[in-house]
Amino acid sequence: RPLSPEALACVIGSASTRTDDAPFALLAATGCRLGESLALDVADFDPVAGTVSITKTYSARHGVRRPKSDNGVRTLRVPAPALPAIVSAVGSRKSGALFTSGGGRRRQHSTLQRRWRGFLAAAGIGGGNTVAGAMAASFISRRTPCQRQSRLKR
């Protein structure tokens, strides 16, 4: 089920208050893929420009690697409401994964999928069963151009 624009704004606002939920703010604000967000390193975030450079993807099976196509390499502007989440995720670190677990390791898909369901419930938002599914459905329902939709579904 798609998230409404109001629910997406709630996701961004709620996710910006907890470092553990920061990936949700980025996903809701930019529409990047889950694997792309998990592959981000601190150096991929430019706080002055307010952008993230998507140059790789991540999966537990394959680790960090280049995107499937050159079209996956891009720089995204992080909308102002989501910037506090990214800044908080970086903290005072100069290197390493942008989104880390409590132990300082790169976050995992499975952990975020479980957290997503609890996050929606705590925020009082009904919606998608998976992060990618909810975001894709939301952009499709808002008639976002097909190129961006296809990025969300992968």
Side-chain angles (χ1 to χ4, degrees):
R1 188 170 98 183
L3 297 178
S4 68
E6 295 80 18
L8 286 173
C10 184
V11 166
I12 295 166
S14 296
S16 294
T17 64
R18 288 181 38 115
T19 303
D20 284 352
D21 298 330
F24 302 141
L26 181 68
L27 292 164
T30 66
C32 70
R33 296 181 190 116
L34 182 57
E36 292 170 339
S37 70
L38 294 176
L40 289 171
D41 290 319
V42 171
D44 295 324
F45 174 58
D46 180 341
V48 175
T51 60
V52 291
S53 295
I54 306 289
T55 60
K56 52 198 174 293
T57 189
Y58 173 79
S59 71
R61 182 175 183 189
H62 300 289
V64 176
R65 59 188 170 99
R66 286 200 46 80
K68 292 177 188 174
S69 76
D70 289 338
N71 291 330
V73 176
R74 61 206 186 280
T75 298
L76 301 175
R77 185 184 60 79
V78 179
L83 278 173
I86 308 308
V87 170
S88 176
V90 170
S92 61
R93 295 177 302 124
K94 302 287 184 216
S95 63
L98 178 59
F99 301 120
T100 58
S101 65
R105 299 181 63 184
R106 191 173 300 276
R107 298 285 298 268
Q108 300 293 310
H109 283 86
S110 59
T111 306
L112 279 181
Q113 290 292 5
R114 283 191 302 274
R115 177 70 192 124
W116 175 245
R117 290 187 278 285
F119 173 83
L120 288 180
I125 303 168
N129 292 329
T130 66
V131 176
M135 297 304 156
S138 297
F139 282 101
I140 291 168
S141 70
R142 291 188 342 225
R143 300 179 196 270
T144 302
C146 293
Q147 181 180 12
R148 189 161 182 199
Q149 292 170 19
S150 66
R151 287 187 202 144
L152 289 169
K153 289 185 169 187
R154 292 184 195 167

